[in-house]
Amino acid sequence: SYSTPGSYTVTLTVSDGIHTPSSKSATITVYQGPEPKFTADHVKGCTPLTVKFQDGSIAHDGTTISSWLWNLNGPTSTEQSPTYIFNNQGMQDISLTVTDFHGCSATLKKTGYIDVAAPPNARYSPDQTTPCKIPVLINFTNHSAGLGVLTYTWDFEGTLFNTTNASNTYTTWGSHAVKLTAKSDYGCQSSIIDSVRVIQVKAIGTITDNSTPIHNNDYICAYDMINFNNQSVGSSNFIWYFGDRKSVV
């Protein structure tokens, strides 16, 4: 075998021990094989990741590259510089085999060359979802998950925090939006928007005697039919106390 490119003379000599030996010579040319080289415009990113591969292979001994065979972690391509979309998370092995017009081939494999991750999954939970007093401090626990280094942005209706977990104090009644964005160092992000309701619970009602309103410290007659009208807000659970040690739920 020949490990060094060049021209080699091979001579075969035949002799029967009696006659003059006969020789035959031939020249063998050993070509230097091609050098496969390639780069990619993205080697790390999130699904679906579009990658443009650029062939940079070199041919020697006055020839050129005649064919390319890419293995893109399973799928193949015979384009010189293909574009491929990676839809699966994981480390992707990439190899390129080039052949020149002399018929010489060589392969370059880059193991784990393309690093692909799915977008992170942003999730959180508050320690209270329907508080009924103000001011109220609500603590939010981050449950986001994803590959790589994750950073976070909390958006409390315009007030931003860049911490893993967050807390916010509410001083007004109503529904308040909470948005959490999780971003990975792969360059992608996801967000979740939910809300907490700060409910105003207020006991409101009227008492009437034959449609006549009864006020505090008014006198009524025994055995009168008294009507109690509940107009409370913020709750569906009520307990009536009638001052006679009896109550009604």
Side-chain angles (χ1 to χ4, degrees):
S1 63
Y2 298 90
S3 59
T4 303
S7 295
Y8 299 88
T9 299
V10 180
T11 300
L12 173 64
T13 300
V14 179
S15 174
D16 61 2
I18 299 175
H19 300 90
T20 301
S22 176
S23 299
K24 182 69 175 180
S25 297
T27 300
I28 296 175
T29 301
V30 178
Y31 296 109
Q32 181 176 351
E35 296 180 52
K37 296 182 178 182
F38 63 86
T39 57
D41 62 349
H42 296 97
V43 296
K44 183 177 182 178
C46 290
T47 58
L49 179 63
T50 300
V51 178
K52 171 67 175 179
F53 293 95
Q54 184 64 48
D55 171 56
S57 303
I58 300 173
H60 298 281
D61 294 330
T63 189
T64 57
I65 304 297
S66 61
S67 66
W68 298 261
L69 178 60
W70 296 82
N71 188 314
L72 308 171
N73 205 62
T76 59
S77 174
T78 56
E79 296 181 34
Q80 181 178 359
S81 298
T83 297
Y84 186 73
I85 300 175
F86 293 92
N87 292 303
N88 296 321
Q89 177 176 287
M91 306 295 289
Q92 314 293 319
D93 298 338
I94 309 298
S95 66
L96 171 62
T97 300
V98 293
T99 303
D100 62 23
F101 278 97
H102 288 143
C104 300
S105 298
T107 299
L108 171 63
K109 181 177 181 179
K110 296 184 180 182
T111 301
Y113 183 54
I114 307 296
D115 187 2
V116 185
N121 180 22
R123 295 185 299 118
Y124 70 84
S125 64
D127 62 353
Q128 302 179 69
T129 56
T130 54
C132 56
K133 65 178 182 178
I134 55 173
V136 58
L137 175 67
I138 300 181
N139 301 305
F140 297 86
T141 301
N142 193 334
H143 302 291
S144 302
L147 291 182
V149 179
L150 300 183
T151 56
Y152 308 101
T153 300
W154 294 88
D155 185 347
F156 296 102
E157 297 175 324
T159 301
L160 305 181
F161 296 95
N162 298 114
T163 55
T164 301
N165 302 307
S167 299
N168 194 47
T169 299
Y170 295 95
T171 58
T172 59
W173 307 111
S175 180
H176 300 275
V178 179
K179 178 180 179 181
L180 171 63
T181 299
K183 184 176 182 180
S184 77
D185 60 345
Y186 283 81
C188 53
Q189 65 185 40
S190 69
S191 299
I192 182 173
I193 301 176
D194 208 337
S195 62
V196 293
R197 293 179 60 214
V198 183
I199 301 173
Q200 182 181 19
V201 178
K202 189 174 183 180
I204 305 173
T206 60
I207 305 174
T208 59
D209 181 359
N210 293 323
S211 75
T212 301
I214 299 175
H215 304 289
N216 190 34
N217 295 322
D218 281 355
Y219 291 95
I220 61 174
C221 296
Y223 303 108
D224 280 358
M225 179 61 68
I226 306 302
N227 298 310
F228 299 89
N229 182 22
N230 184 1
Q231 298 171 335
S232 302
V233 296
S235 178
S236 59
N237 299 311
F238 311 100
I239 300 177
W240 291 88
Y241 293 96
F242 297 104
D244 56 356
R245 298 183 181 180
K246 295 181 181 179
S247 63
V248 177
V249 178

